[in-house]
Amino acid sequence: DSGVTQTPKHLITATGQRVTLRCSPRSGDLSVYWYQQSLDQGLQFLIQYYNGEERAKGNILERFSAQQFPDLHSELNLSSLELGDSALYFCASSVGQNPREKLFFGSGTQLSVL
Amino acid sequence: SQKIEQNSEALNIQEGKTATLTCNYTNYSPAYLQWYRQDPGRGPVFLLLIRENEKEKRKERLKVTFDTTLKQSLFHITASQPADSATYLCAPGGADGLTFGKGTHLIIQP
């Protein structure tokens, strides 16, 4: 158990809808990262937050947004969903904002857009 | 753009032998490189980190090398066991964080 909690584990929705994925980092970790994993693209970095502030941005679509709350949990909002958004979404956390730090991953949210 | 290449085909190794996984990168000069293990339906788990000034790093049955001239990292598992079967992800990193490869699926056959 990594200590990172993601909910829900599975999400099935329709095109055009909006969903929210939730992540609670390990106790004491200040950084939260969001990744998208699909069979053809591998693990793609979306965005990082550190202590409530956006720290780094990757290949995140404009239809997607995220935030980190004062209690350090994070939410990833996906809107106007398309079939191609179907993927496994992982949250990871680390102690600080140093990019060399190892990441602790949650078990992921499997999103299916029908 | 940065490109990370790992064996796309599954690697079958007999139990007890050494498994060697390759990670090649192009258009990139990472300051460090991490390796993760991922089991089906689970998140990746950190295994090892090696810095650009380190040639080799060991942890129990695991060994990682980092050749910045060849732009390559090798990941070795000695005395392999069926429990080592998983997908292994290579992740070179710099100031902007990690870039993950697609992983190599390793199968250790009894």
Side-chain angles (χ1 to χ4, degrees):
Chain A
D1 182 11
S2 67
V4 178
T5 303
Q6 287 188 251
T7 57
K9 288 192 181 302
H10 302 278
L11 201 48
I12 302 174
T13 188
T15 54
Q17 295 298 305
R18 172 189 169 95
V19 297
T20 298
L21 312 184
R22 182 187 168 99
C23 169
S24 293
R26 286 190 327 155
S27 176
D29 285 358
L30 298 178
S31 271
V32 170
Y33 305 74
W34 285 98
Y35 285 85
Q36 178 192 59
Q37 187 174 44
S38 58
L39 284 175
D40 57 339
Q41 290 295 321
L43 202 58
Q44 297 288 310
F45 170 64
L46 296 178
I47 197 164
Q48 177 199 357
Y49 279 83
Y50 172 75
N51 203 21
E53 300 290 327
E54 183 181 303
R55 165 71 175 77
K57 215 166 188 176
N59 301 320
I60 188 166
L61 300 173
E62 285 191 11
R63 300 184 285 109
F64 296 0
S65 65
Q67 54 183 326
Q68 186 179 29
F69 295 87
D71 67 352
L72 301 177
H73 92 271
S74 177
E75 292 182 356
L76 179 67
N77 299 295
L78 314 177
S79 61
S80 302
L81 285 168
E82 301 174 359
L83 295 177
D85 297 326
S86 296
L88 197 50
Y89 290 83
F90 285 107
C91 165
S93 72
S94 66
V95 174
Q97 58 179 328
N98 188 331
R100 291 173 190 255
E101 294 177 10
K102 61 184 178 183
L103 303 181
F104 294 87
F105 284 82
S107 294
T109 293
Q110 179 68 59
L111 174 66
S112 298
V113 182
L114 305 178
Chain B
S1 61
Q2 299 169 0
K3 192 175 179 182
I4 316 297
E5 289 185 347
Q6 295 188 252
N7 296 18
S8 57
E9 295 181 5
L11 185 62
N12 284 272
I13 300 293
Q14 191 176 7
E15 182 178 6
K17 302 291 186 183
T18 297
T20 298
L21 285 65
T22 304
C23 173
N24 295 301
Y25 55 90
T26 55
N27 299 324
Y28 200 5
S29 296
Y32 57 94
L33 195 145
Q34 298 185 11
W35 283 87
Y36 287 78
R37 167 184 172 142
Q38 187 173 21
D39 292 284
R42 307 293 296 272
V45 175
F46 172 82
L47 296 174
L48 282 166
L49 178 150
I50 186 166
R51 294 177 174 80
E52 60 181 339
N53 60 348
E54 297 175 312
K55 294 290 186 186
E56 183 180 296
K57 202 81 169 278
R58 292 174 185 261
K59 179 182 175 184
E60 298 173 352
R61 295 183 297 111
L62 308 180
K63 184 178 85 171
V64 171
T65 63
F66 192 9
D67 190 324
T68 55
T69 301
L70 291 179
K71 293 186 178 294
Q72 180 182 79
S73 176
L74 298 178
F75 177 82
H76 307 270
I77 304 176
T78 58
S80 59
Q81 306 165 0
D84 295 326
S85 299
T87 296
Y88 290 85
L89 307 174
C90 158
D96 293 333
L98 299 171
T99 301
F100 282 86
K102 294 183 181 179
T104 296
H105 184 44
L106 176 65
I107 301 168
I108 306 298
Q109 296 173 336

